[in-house]
Amino acid sequence: MSRSVDLASILAQLDPAADLAHRHLWLIGLLDWVRGKRDSVPGAIGRLQLFLDAVEARPEAQAKLQAWWAMLVDTVDITTLLADFGFAPRTALASEVAERLRNKLLPASPETIDASELFMLALPGGFDAQWVAALEEAQLARLVHLLAPTDTGGASRWQKALLDAITYCAGQILSTGFAPELRLRMSEVARESQPFHALIHDVESLRVEVLHGLRTPERLDAAVQRLRERLEACRAAAATVYTHFEENGISVGLVFRLRQLRERILRVRQLLDCLLSPQPALTAAKLMANLVLVGQERRSLRALFASNSSLLAAKVAERSAETGEHYITRTGAEYRSMVKKAAGGGALMAFTTLAKFGLYALALSAFWGGFWAGVNYATTFVLIQLLHLTVATKQPAMTAPAMAAKLKELGASDAIESFVDEITHLVRSQVAAVLGNVLVVFPAVLALALLITQTTGAPAITEKQAEHVFESLHLLGPSLFFAAFTGVLLFLSSIIAGWTENWFVLHRLDSAMHYNPRITRFLGQARAARWARFLRENLSGFAANISLGFMLGLVPAIAGFFGLGLDVRHVTLSTGQIGAACAALGMAVLHMQAFWWAVAAIPLIGALNVTVSFYLAFSLALRAQSVSGVDRSRIYAAIRRRLGSAPLSFFAPGRGRTATVH
């Protein structure tokens, strides 16, 4: 039914004897006419007023409307709408994602007895919530009178629907509260108080008091109060699971179930308000308006992931922050130690660079070339971790959450200056690490390549490969874009690291490895304890290093399969490649413009690797830490003042200012 159809045509098309689909299509068309262009709430209410006036002026239309309404309420069960609309049919995040995708991609049919499906077709947008909520009591009373003027049991029918919906919700709350994965994570006090056990009994007591003809207000009020207290006790018991998450890791699936439980409890409270309201029509309209908004969120995948992954993001950021503290140098001794660790990392990366060229010589297919390149990178990164060395570009994604955690302390008087201190510590730590990597990897690769040439009589790489290195790293080419893309991969590796550690802790695998009888029989108790402690301390680093290595190797191959032309530019590896190219071309390289263009690109590649990964991690950490209202202009002004007064503090530890460990 198009919006151009007038009210007379709508009334003429009303046919209570029509089939199910056309009866529902009439309702959808009527509401489409009421909302109009969706730009004016008074306009929508005015059109509804016109509809009421027209039906009241036509007795035959009023009789047809009442017959249509009787068919609707007998065919479609409103209880399912009140109890289940907006909730996942199954208590699993994956099934809910599939359900929302189905709702987004597949059209719905009006030929349905599911009140929720009909509701979403009839009132699909946020504008519907606005005009429904704006309806006045007098208009609603007229509408109720037109639909069922002689139905003395109308209020009772509505009350029974509300009570049934409360019972359905209570059953879902009970099943979730008794689920082992939640019950075992509740606090001991919450489990002993058994708040869920008597929930159904309290709901049935309320039903008796509402439907009993001789009830007294005092008994009804007491039943309602008991149910409200029971719901609050259930909510409080479920909330204790979050404390367990803080100590033992987070599961997105469990967070999803807890949020569903909380929303169910809120729905029961809303239904209770409707049941007890002295203005049932008005509260029913408010409930319907709220359900319209629920329906909008029900279709949103973004809202689903945002609401259920926020705690996981917080835990991932928190675990990265713990790791990131080790990468921030605050004293001269720590600064020199960072340079030494970075130099060691650069030396190992020299072997990785030459191994990469060796893989090129094997002429493997795109996938296997990328796979073995990933093995090459991952092996080196893990070895650097085990030797307690460092790769500069891995630090920013780990240090950003540590920095974001400091923003919680901005209420103190000297918080801004302390935060700027942390910024200077972080920047010069990055400078030390990048310089340590770059200044060692170049001569190390050069020396190794020359050694290979002297030993084998053949250059480590051909002149054609050397020229390709300079061409691929040209400043005016796509290298800077690829460097920024590499920063995204560096950030993703930190997310994988935090998620893996959270998963390890959530499933208590360190405890299982320490005490499991089969493991202790195989390894021995002492060795099992050492392995458990070793994995607990190093698993995050292993996950970051292995995932980063394989992303650097495989992502270009996979992107090439889809014709995307993406590549990676890692500052340490790129510098090593220049060293290998110089060894192949000799001193003549100094007269090549391509060489100098490639050298000029190195600082920018390093800067983009660092800043992109730091920015993404910092943004995630800010959201995860719920940091808001920060006066960033004050921070920026303080940083500018520090740059003006002590610019060298961003590059080397100074003597005039005492470093403070936060």
Side-chain angles (χ1 to χ4, degrees):
M1 189 179 296
S2 66
R3 290 196 183 103
S4 61
V5 175
D6 58 17
L7 180 57
S9 299
I10 293 173
L11 293 176
Q13 294 174 16
L14 175 58
D15 181 9
D19 58 60
L20 178 69
H22 284 88
R23 292 201 307 271
H24 292 172
L25 282 172
W26 181 84
L27 174 63
I28 294 169
L30 171 65
L31 293 175
D32 196 39
W33 174 80
V34 168
R35 71 176 63 93
K37 296 181 179 179
R38 310 187 188 199
D39 58 354
S40 171
V41 171
I45 294 176
R47 283 185 287 274
L48 180 64
Q49 188 76 31
L50 288 175
F51 171 76
L52 296 175
D53 294 340
V55 174
E56 287 176 342
R58 303 180 186 184
E60 72 284 359
Q62 188 170 349
K64 290 167 65 176
L65 180 64
Q66 292 165 8
W68 173 88
W69 176 253
M71 290 289 294
L72 179 69
V73 296
D74 288 340
T75 306
V76 178
D77 183 10
I78 194 176
T79 304
T80 59
L81 172 68
L82 298 175
D84 296 324
F85 186 65
F87 298 107
R90 288 165 291 278
T91 54
L93 183 61
S95 62
E96 177 63 5
V97 171
E99 180 72 12
R100 295 197 183 199
L101 282 173
R102 185 186 68 81
N103 290 334
K104 275 181 170 292
L105 300 176
L106 300 180
S109 171
E111 191 177 17
T112 178
I113 61 172
D114 187 337
S116 297
E117 288 186 8
L118 180 59
F119 186 82
M120 292 182 71
L121 286 169
L123 298 169
F127 178 74
D128 294 305
Q130 298 177 36
W131 71 263
V132 170
L135 292 173
E136 297 179 356
E137 186 176 7
Q139 294 169 318
L140 292 168
R142 289 177 63 192
L143 181 60
V144 170
H145 178 73
L146 284 176
L147 294 174
T150 59
D151 186 5
T152 56
S156 177
R157 178 194 288 269
W158 175 240
Q159 287 179 333
K160 288 180 180 178
L162 289 171
L163 287 169
D164 287 344
I166 290 173
T167 302
Y168 295 166
C169 282
Q172 293 289 343
I173 293 169
L174 188 66
S175 65
T176 304
F178 281 167
E181 59 267 30
L182 263 66
R183 189 176 70 251
L184 293 176
R185 288 175 169 83
M186 293 179 188
S187 69
E188 185 177 353
V189 174
R191 287 199 302 271
E192 290 178 352
S193 63
Q194 299 183 337
F196 294 93
H197 289 63
L199 179 60
I200 297 298
H201 177 268
D202 290 341
V203 171
E204 289 304 313
S205 297
L206 174 69
R207 177 185 290 274
V208 170
E209 296 303 326
V210 170
L211 299 181
H212 198 285
L214 301 177
R215 72 175 188 268
T216 62
E218 291 78 13
R219 290 184 52 148
L220 176 61
D221 292 343
V224 171
Q225 184 62 26
R226 281 197 303 272
L227 180 55
R228 290 189 186 278
E229 291 175 354
R230 182 70 58 188
L231 290 171
E232 176 58 26
C234 292
R235 185 206 61 77
T240 63
V241 177
Y242 289 101
T243 303
H244 183 279
F245 285 162
E246 288 297 319
E247 299 172 354
N248 299 284
I250 288 174
S251 164
V252 174
L254 291 180
V255 171
F256 175 71
R257 299 194 70 172
L258 284 171
R259 290 187 182 276
Q260 291 276 292
L261 175 63
R262 177 178 175 274
E263 294 299 324
R264 289 273 186 189
I265 292 173
L266 292 176
R267 179 67 60 83
V268 173
R269 290 173 178 171
Q270 291 176 321
L271 296 174
L272 274 175
D273 292 339
C274 286
L275 182 68
L276 304 172
S277 173
Q279 301 171 308
L282 195 60
T283 53
K286 302 294 184 186
L287 177 61
M288 292 299 127
N290 181 69
L291 290 180
V292 172
L293 298 178
V294 169
Q296 271 199 311
E297 186 175 346
R298 181 77 173 81
R299 290 186 287 266
S300 172
L301 283 170
R302 179 181 297 180
L304 176 67
F305 286 120
S307 62
N308 291 284
S309 61
S310 57
L311 278 179
L312 179 60
K315 182 57 66 177
V316 167
E318 177 185 318
R319 298 197 184 281
S320 295
E322 294 171 2
T323 305
E325 280 290 341
H326 302 300
Y327 290 121
I328 301 177
T329 65
R330 298 182 173 89
T331 65
E334 291 176 350
Y335 182 87
R336 290 187 292 273
S337 175
M338 177 63 72
V339 173
K340 292 177 182 178
K341 291 179 180 178
L348 284 179
M349 292 291 281
F351 294 94
T352 306
T353 304
L354 292 175
K356 178 181 177 181
F357 285 114
L359 290 172
Y360 286 155
L362 297 178
L364 299 172
S365 65
F367 172 80
W368 288 110
F371 174 82
W372 287 111
V375 172
N376 179 34
Y377 298 144
T379 302
T380 304
F381 293 152
V382 170
L383 185 59
I384 287 173
Q385 174 191 349
L386 294 177
L387 294 176
H388 303 289
L389 305 175
T390 189
V391 178
T393 50
K394 282 188 73 278
Q395 297 178 14
M398 295 295 186
T399 53
M403 295 299 300
K406 301 293 189 296
L407 291 177
K408 288 184 174 182
E409 306 165 6
L410 286 183
S413 58
D414 61 342
I416 295 293
E417 287 300 316
S418 297
F419 185 74
V420 175
D421 285 342
E422 289 296 302
I423 292 289
T424 59
H425 297 154
L426 173 63
V427 170
R428 67 175 177 243
S429 301
Q430 297 300 310
V431 170
V434 171
L435 289 177
N437 280 171
V438 168
L439 295 180
V440 171
V441 73
F442 178 83
V445 171
L446 185 63
L448 286 173
L450 292 175
L451 180 62
I452 291 173
T453 302
Q454 290 293 327
T455 304
T456 65
I461 65 173
T462 65
E463 292 187 3
K464 186 176 180 180
Q465 286 177 316
E467 291 171 356
H468 177 70
V469 167
F470 294 148
E471 181 183 347
S472 65
L473 294 175
H474 200 287
L475 178 61
L476 302 182
S479 287
L480 299 187
F481 172 75
F482 294 155
F485 175 68
T486 305
V488 176
L489 299 184
L490 290 161
F491 162 70
L492 290 177
S493 72
S494 73
I495 297 299
I496 293 171
W499 181 88
T500 303
E501 184 175 1
N502 178 77
W503 175 84
F504 186 84
V505 173
L506 176 69
H507 294 284
R508 304 176 63 223
L509 295 183
D510 53 342
S511 178
M513 181 171 288
H514 191 174
Y515 299 110
N516 184 274
R518 286 186 300 174
I519 295 177
T520 53
R521 278 198 303 268
F522 179 73
L523 294 177
Q525 291 187 352
R527 188 178 299 172
R530 288 197 302 271
W531 273 101
R533 185 169 58 255
F534 174 79
L535 280 180
R536 179 66 180 85
E537 294 172 353
N538 293 280
L539 183 68
S540 176
F542 288 154
N545 289 319
I546 294 171
S547 62
L548 177 60
F550 278 100
M551 283 191 290
L552 292 177
L554 282 172
V555 167
I558 295 172
F561 176 80
F562 291 101
L564 298 179
L566 284 175
D567 206 343
V568 295
R569 294 290 183 270
H570 188 282
V571 61
T572 309
L573 291 170
S574 297
T575 306
Q577 290 174 24
I578 292 177
C582 290
L585 296 174
M587 296 299 294
V589 76
L590 298 176
H591 302 287
M592 298 176 60
Q593 287 188 350
F595 166 73
W596 295 109
W597 279 112
V599 170
I602 292 299
L604 296 178
I605 290 174
L608 286 170
N609 286 167
V610 169
T611 55
V612 170
S613 60
F614 181 85
Y615 171 77
L616 293 173
F618 191 67
S619 299
L620 173 67
L622 285 178
R623 290 194 298 271
Q625 299 282 4
S626 300
V627 177
S628 59
V630 177
D631 190 356
R632 296 179 183 178
S633 61
R634 293 169 56 209
I635 296 175
Y636 297 150
I639 293 174
R640 286 193 295 270
R641 287 196 301 270
R642 183 66 61 82
L643 279 169
S645 62
L648 293 180
S649 65
F650 288 88
F651 301 96
R655 299 180 179 178
R657 187 176 180 87
T658 303
T660 304
V661 178
H662 298 276

